[in-house]
Amino acid sequence: LAELMASVQDMNTSKETIGAVVDYAEFMLKRDVFDNEAIGSHGADMLLKSKETIRLMTICNTGSLATAGYGTALGVARALHSRGKLESITALETRPYNQGSRLTAFEIVEEGMPGTKQLICDGAAAAMMKINGIDACVVGADRVCANGDTANKIGTYNLSLIAAAHKVPFYVASPFTTLDVNLPTGDSIPIEERPAAEMIGSGSAPENIKVWNPAFDVTPNKYINGIITEKGVICDRTSDGSLDIVSFVKNHSTAQ
């Protein structure tokens, strides 16, 4: 936004200003797709270091419907699929707003991604890992703290615990811009609470039930194997075991 404001402050006509805004929007579109494709490539490379093909699990929507046209966590799935290395993908429905079943499932079908159990309810993740097997979980993030704690759609923390119990690698795919070194830990992240009606309506619950409906949760860094960005994958840890986000940001902030 600062770049855009600087570019239009000396313009004399509304036509010039509108043109500059449109040009910058088109630049942001191209950059976002480019960055997402890089995230997908880095993520696919990382996962394929230990497996020939990947059975992937994800939550919420992180695809072209959530970005400018490619995706972050779902971009990793796209990259694997384009290489013929995606054995299967499973999306959690992501209650109560069902971004997984409404959006991710749509993208999986439209992309022709493989799998026989492509959509499951949130509570089936553990059974899926135990009975059918999953090679990796890749999820998105709205913010990544200095120690690697990440905020994402509610249910992500649950999924990380399930993955840890089944020894399934758990990765976060997120743009470099989500790395916030000014927030020391996930305890600093404010969590939005959604209206009760959203949960009551989607679950056919009685209208007078008392509801707690947080939109996000925070996954502690100890349950995360790495953070996949367009500039590379963060796996290095500090002496206290935290993901070394600060060093990565310092080393890549001026890199183009």
Side-chain angles (χ1 to χ4, degrees), residues 96-210:
Y97 209 56
N98 298 319
Q99 293 96 328
S101 58
R102 291 187 300 110
L103 304 176
T104 301
F106 172 80
E107 295 198 52
I108 288 172
V109 171
E110 288 298 303
E111 291 287 329
M113 293 183 184
T116 59
K117 299 173 179 65
Q118 296 175 324
L119 180 66
I120 61 174
C121 66
D122 296 349
M128 179 75 178
M129 289 184 190
K130 180 179 180 180
I131 297 170
N132 295 280
I134 291 293
D135 297 313
C137 293
V138 182
V139 304
D142 291 89
R143 189 172 298 186
V144 179
C145 298
N147 72 338
D149 294 349
T150 65
N152 194 47
K153 189 56 60 183
I154 190 72
T156 304
Y157 182 19
N158 295 33
L159 185 58
S160 76
L161 295 174
I162 294 168
H166 292 84
K167 297 180 172 56
V168 173
F170 189 92
Y171 287 93
V172 171
S174 192
F176 187 79
T177 52
T178 62
L179 307 182
D180 190 347
V181 297
N182 294 314
L183 284 180
T185 72
D187 294 336
S188 307
I189 300 176
I191 300 298
E192 174 192 3
E193 293 190 19
R194 300 286 296 174
E198 185 177 278
M199 181 183 292
I200 291 170
S202 67
S204 300
E207 292 185 2
N208 60 344
I209 191 72
K210 303 301 181 184

Side-chain angles (χ1 to χ4, degrees), residues 4-238:
L4 176 60
M5 294 302 295
S7 69
V8 302
Q9 63 180 355
D10 294 326
M11 293 183 178
N12 298 317
T13 67
S14 59
K15 183 177 181 180
E16 288 180 316
T17 302
I18 292 170
V21 171
V22 171
D23 288 344
Y24 195 79
E26 291 178 348
F27 161 73
M28 290 179 64
L29 170 66
K30 293 176 182 178
R31 182 175 63 183
D32 189 70
V33 172
F34 179 83
D35 288 347
N36 283 189
E37 289 175 343
I39 289 171
S41 181
H42 286 308
D45 290 345
M46 173 62 67
L47 297 182
L48 291 172
K49 286 181 178 180
S50 57
K51 296 280 186 177
E52 287 292 323
T53 58
I54 302 297
R55 297 167 296 178
L56 200 65
M57 182 175 283
T58 192
I59 190 171
C60 200
N61 180 254
T62 57
S64 61
L65 296 175
T67 63
Y70 192 79
T72 54
L74 202 58
V76 176
R78 280 197 167 87
L80 289 166
H81 185 42
S82 70
R83 301 181 192 185
K85 298 294 185 179
L86 182 65
E87 183 175 333
S88 66
I89 182 167
T90 299
L92 275 59
E93 61 176 347
T94 319
R95 286 188 48 77
Y97 209 56
N98 298 319
Q99 293 96 328
S101 58
R102 291 187 300 110
L103 304 176
T104 301
F106 172 80
E107 295 198 52
I108 288 172
V109 171
E110 288 298 303
E111 291 287 329
M113 293 183 184
T116 59
K117 299 173 179 65
Q118 296 175 324
L119 180 66
I120 61 174
C121 66
D122 296 349
M128 179 75 178
M129 289 184 190
K130 180 179 180 180
I131 297 170
N132 295 280
I134 291 293
D135 297 313
C137 293
V138 182
V139 304
D142 291 89
R143 189 172 298 186
V144 179
C145 298
N147 72 338
D149 294 349
T150 65
N152 194 47
K153 189 56 60 183
I154 190 72
T156 304
Y157 182 19
N158 295 33
L159 185 58
S160 76
L161 295 174
I162 294 168
H166 292 84
K167 297 180 172 56
V168 173
F170 189 92
Y171 287 93
V172 171
S174 192
F176 187 79
T177 52
T178 62
L179 307 182
D180 190 347
V181 297
N182 294 314
L183 284 180
T185 72
D187 294 336
S188 307
I189 300 176
I191 300 298
E192 174 192 3
E193 293 190 19
R194 300 286 296 174
E198 185 177 278
M199 181 183 292
I200 291 170
S202 67
S204 300
E207 292 185 2
N208 60 344
I209 191 72
K210 303 301 181 184
V211 171
W212 182 53
N213 187 21
F216 305 95
D217 56 28
V218 175
T219 301
N221 69 79
K222 65 181 179 179
Y223 299 118
I224 300 170
N225 290 76
I227 310 290
I228 305 165
T229 78
E230 69 271 26
K231 297 177 185 288
V233 184
I234 309 169
C235 295
D236 292 340
R237 294 188 179 265
T238 61

